[in-house]
Structure formats: structure tokens, C-alpha cells
Amino acid sequence: MRIKTSLVSGAALGVMLACGLGVAAHAQDNTTAWKGAPQWSNDDVYFKVRGRILLDAVFQDVKRDGPGGDFDTRNVRGRQVFLGVEGKLNNYVAYKAEGGAVNGGAWAWDDVVIEVKPTEATSILFGNIKVAGLENLTSTRFTTFMDRGPYGDFGVDSYQLGVVGKYQGPNYSFTGGVQGGSINNADVAVGANADSKERLVITGRAHWAPIVTDTDKVHVAASYRYRNRGDEGAFAYTGRTNTAYTNGTTFYTTGGIGNRDNTIAVEGAWVHGPFSFQGEYSNIDVTRAGTAGSDPTIKVGYAFVSFWPTGETRNYDPVAGEFKRPKILNPITAGGFGGVELALRYDFADLKDAYDTLNVKPATSQAGEYTGWTLGVNYYPTAYVRFQANYTDGKSDNIGLNQDYDVKQFQLRAQLDF
């Protein structure tokens, strides 16, 4: 079943929750804290309105190796405009709901979660949830780069609707989820009197932070994902050039080939004062749909380094195994300059095995290889405001005439969240 509501409904729900909490806490004193927006608390109850505005500008210069023609793009766009609520009814039940407009598209939901905590260390979550991937689990508000690259496109799942269990220790965690598609997807309806099963996704992740000191944090993690498409279309492994923007051009893809797949992924990160390193890699074994060829293996990953010349450090949470909001040492609200982060990233996606395992090989195919280098600069006037600039030099090396692309890409972002 899918839930389709407007953001107005979400706002109304938030007002109702706020009123309910106010009545429940009538006989007690309320406190208000400022966390980008007011947060009202009373004992073990709290309520907060949340949201974000991400505005982008994207410029691309694309060269092709054949007669298809070169092209340029230039677009100013609303990457995300979200509004939502979060809160806690008591020490055992919490909630979060946030949605909005994405990339000029229809209104949709991201986080829609009911969390039940049987104990301090355990959580059972119901809703639209991410399960695995270090950069995937890190909010877009806090990722070092403007986009997660091909790894975010198909190396790991984004928000999926289902149930997720978590156990968290002081520097480790175990997470498992059983999910279907996104809450924003329409129901799978093949036709009357026909099988209509959505995808099944089973994911597990374990992380460990063996070193957690004031200056050094080390993160290692591994995850496993099983997917079965059910009666949905075959899984396609399609990526972009380190941007959420597209003008309809497909730079590299396998097309729809996957009936099922099994993914093993590893994560690693090291923070040393203002320096940090982070990387992830996924090996995806695909069970091909149909009889066009044998089963291929897809490989995708990234690595990057970053440095804060203003002295900050990336804010790693060893309990959750995620990165959180950075703490700016000298924000402009205190008379300072703010914080600056410099970063360099390498991305790759290897789809060639999807072509090599075909019984009959066509003259052209976009199941090739993508590589990209991205230079990033982030400026934080405060911890809740960020300006970003990314420059990417990417290349798609595909099969046959007029299938290769060289992309020079410059992106800018203005961001505020609360």
C-alpha cells in the first residue's frame, strides 16, 4: 500500500501533534531551545518544525566522440525545498515526517518514520527509511559534496518503505531491514487477476569505530543487500555525472537487466583533526532477467579527502556510524569568518560485464565505464547555512561509435536548513 498526501496534510498533522503535546504537558513547564528553529520540550516530550532550502546552479560542457554533437547546459534549479516535523511522545516513541519539492518535480516524501524504542540501545522503525551506506545515511545537508555520484545512484538504496531494526552500542551498531519500494511509488498493478508484487529488499549493515578520540575517529562497516524485482520492471544500473541534474541524456547504463541482485559493500573513514578520508565500494552480482546472456557483476565506488583550513573537523557519530552537522568554530554570528572545507573526490562505475556477458553483442552499448574527479569548496557562515561549489571532470567510456562522453561540469549551491 502507498500513502499519497500533500505537504499541507503534513503541516496540519504537525499542528495537531503540537496541540496534543501542549495539552499533555499543561501541568508542567515547557522549555524552548533554538536548533535552527524553535524546539519545544517538556520532560521526555519534544516537538520541532524542520525544513531545508537547497538552490543550485548547474553548468555542463559535454563533448562526444562522434557525429552526435557536443552540447552545453545551463540551469538554475530548486534542488530541495522541504518542510516537516519531528518529535518524541515519550522515551519509547518518536516520529519524523519531512517532504517537499525535489528538482522541480512533484511533491514527495523523504523521511516518514515511526520509531519505537523497547530499550535504550534498540529501535524498531516503521516507514520510509535508509538502511545502509555511510554517505547515503549522512543527510544531504551534511555531505561533503553536492551529489553522491554513481554510488548513490545504484550502489546503495535510498529511502524505502518497510520495517528496520537497530541495535546501537557506544561505538558499533547492527541494522537490518525488510522493505519494498519508496512511499512515493504507485502500487504495482500489472493487471486484473494477475500477480502484482512489488520488489523485496532485505538489507543488513554492521559498523564499528575502533578509534574514537578527540583528534582521531576511524570508521569501518560492511553491508549486504538482496533485491528481487517481483512484478516490477527489471533493475537498471544507470548513473549520472556527479549531479542530480539531467537534461535527458543517459551517459552510462546497463538498461533494464536485473531480475534479482546481491550486493556486498564496504565502508571506511578516518578523521584526523581537520583532515579526513572516506570511501565506499559495492560489488553487485546480478541475476539477469531473460535469456540474453549470463549473469554480470557491476562494480561502483568512490573515495575522497577533505581538509578544513579554518580548523573544524567533520562531526562523526560513533554510535550511529554516520556524519552529522559540523560545528563551526567561529561563525559570523559570533563575529567570526565562518568555516571553510576543501575536498577532492574520485568516482568510478564499471558496467562492462553487462555487455561482456551478452550472448550476442551489439555494435554499440552504454554499458561501459564512468570515471570522474570532483573538486569541492564549502563555506559555512554558520552551522545552518552553507554555500558550495563543485567542479567535475568526468568521462564515460562506452562501446561503439558516438557512445563516449567527456563532461566538464560546474555547480553552485546555496543552502539553509532548520
Side-chain angles (χ1 to χ4, degrees):
M1 182 179 71
R2 291 291 179 265
I3 302 171
K4 293 188 175 180
T5 61
S6 69
L7 194 62
V8 174
S9 301
L13 175 62
V15 172
M16 293 171 62
L17 286 168
C19 293
L21 295 179
V23 171
H26 180 70
Q28 300 174 330
D29 292 332
N30 290 313
T31 60
T32 303
W34 184 262
K35 296 187 177 181
Q39 176 175 302
W40 294 275
S41 302
N42 185 300
D43 237 2
D44 56 356
V45 174
Y46 87 83
F47 174 83
K48 178 179 180 290
V49 177
R50 54 182 286 147
R52 69 183 77 173
I53 302 171
L54 279 64
L55 304 176
D56 289 4
V58 184
F59 309 86
Q60 290 179 326
D61 180 10
V62 180
K63 306 295 184 185
R64 301 186 70 177
D65 68 343
D70 304 337
F71 62 88
D72 298 324
T73 70
R74 180 183 69 246
N75 280 271
V76 179
R77 56 206 302 271
R79 174 65 177 92
Q80 292 181 341
V81 182
F82 283 2
L83 185 63
V85 296
E86 65 177 76
K88 190 169 68 168
L89 300 181
N90 47 54
N91 286 329
Y92 302 98
V93 180
Y95 58 90
K96 182 192 303 182
E98 185 177 51
V102 180
N103 301 334
W107 293 79
W109 294 101
D110 266 13
D111 289 289
V112 180
V113 183
I114 300 170
E115 180 181 9
V116 178
K117 290 186 66 66
T119 69
E120 184 66 27
T122 57
S123 294
I124 304 172
L125 301 99
F126 305 88
N128 213 39
I129 309 165
K130 296 179 179 180
V131 177
L134 178 58
E135 191 172 46
N136 185 48
L137 292 170
T138 299
S139 171
T140 301
R141 299 168 296 164
F142 314 138
T143 53
T144 300
F145 292 86
M146 290 174 61
D147 190 75
R148 296 178 174 88
Y151 195 86
D153 290 331
F154 59 85
V156 67
D157 283 323
S158 186
Y159 293 99
Q160 307 273 22
L161 185 61
V163 58
V164 174
K166 290 185 178 182
Y167 180 86
Q168 295 180 331
N171 64 335
Y172 61 90
S173 71
F174 303 97
T175 305
V178 180
Q179 299 169 292
S182 167
I183 196 172
N184 302 300
N185 292 354
D187 290 331
V188 176
V190 175
N193 303 312
D195 291 341
S196 299
K197 301 185 296 295
E198 70 173 353
R199 71 182 62 188
L200 171 66
V201 184
I202 301 173
T203 309
R205 177 185 186 246
H207 103 273
W208 179 42
I211 299 175
V212 181
T213 68
D214 290 341
T215 57
D216 287 276
K217 283 87 176 174
V218 173
H219 166 94
V220 292
S223 64
Y224 169 78
R225 178 190 69 181
Y226 167 80
R227 296 193 304 174
N228 185 316
R229 70 184 178 95
D231 295 305
E232 297 185 29
F235 295 127
Y237 306 87
T238 304
R240 295 166 292 186
T241 58
N242 292 81
T243 180
Y245 166 76
T246 177
N247 71 342
T249 303
T250 301
F251 293 97
Y252 55 101
T253 182
T254 63
I257 66 169
N259 190 41
R260 300 180 300 278
D261 62 25
N262 293 271
T263 301
I264 295 176
V266 292
E267 314 165 13
W270 173 42
V271 177
H272 177 68
F275 296 93
S276 77
F277 165 85
Q278 179 176 318
E280 298 185 72
Y281 171 80
S282 281
N283 188 91
I284 308 170
D285 289 325
V286 181
T287 300
R288 188 186 290 271
T291 59
S294 56
D295 298 337
T297 298
I298 307 299
K299 303 172 184 177
V300 61
Y302 73 89
F304 71 77
V305 293
S306 74
F307 170 64
W308 294 78
T310 47
E312 285 82 4
T313 187
R314 294 180 68 206
N315 183 15
Y316 176 70
D317 180 353
V319 177
E322 306 169 18
F323 283 97
K324 304 293 188 179
R325 184 186 306 277
K327 299 175 182 178
I328 305 305
L329 299 178
N330 296 293
I332 60 172
T333 52
F337 173 75
V340 175
E341 183 182 21
L342 308 176
L344 179 65
R345 177 187 184 108
Y346 176 75
D347 288 271
F348 82 93
D350 185 353
L351 315 180
K352 296 191 302 293
D353 202 41
Y355 177 81
D356 292 340
T357 53
L358 287 171
N359 296 329
V360 179
K361 296 178 175 58
T364 62
S365 172
Q366 290 186 304
E369 186 174 23
Y370 171 77
T371 56
W373 289 92
T374 300
L375 179 65
V377 180
N378 300 323
Y379 170 58
Y380 291 81
T382 75
Y384 292 89
V385 179
R386 177 168 69 166
F387 298 95
Q388 294 183 274
N390 282 187
Y391 176 77
T392 298
D393 188 341
K395 179 177 177 61
S396 294
D397 184 8
N398 295 317
I399 294 98
L401 180 65
N402 200 32
Q403 299 300 311
D404 294 348
Y405 295 87
D406 285 298
V407 181
K408 306 292 190 292
Q409 177 177 278
F410 182 60
Q411 301 182 90
L412 296 169
R413 174 173 293 168
Q415 170 185 316
L416 178 147
D417 78 279
F418 55 88

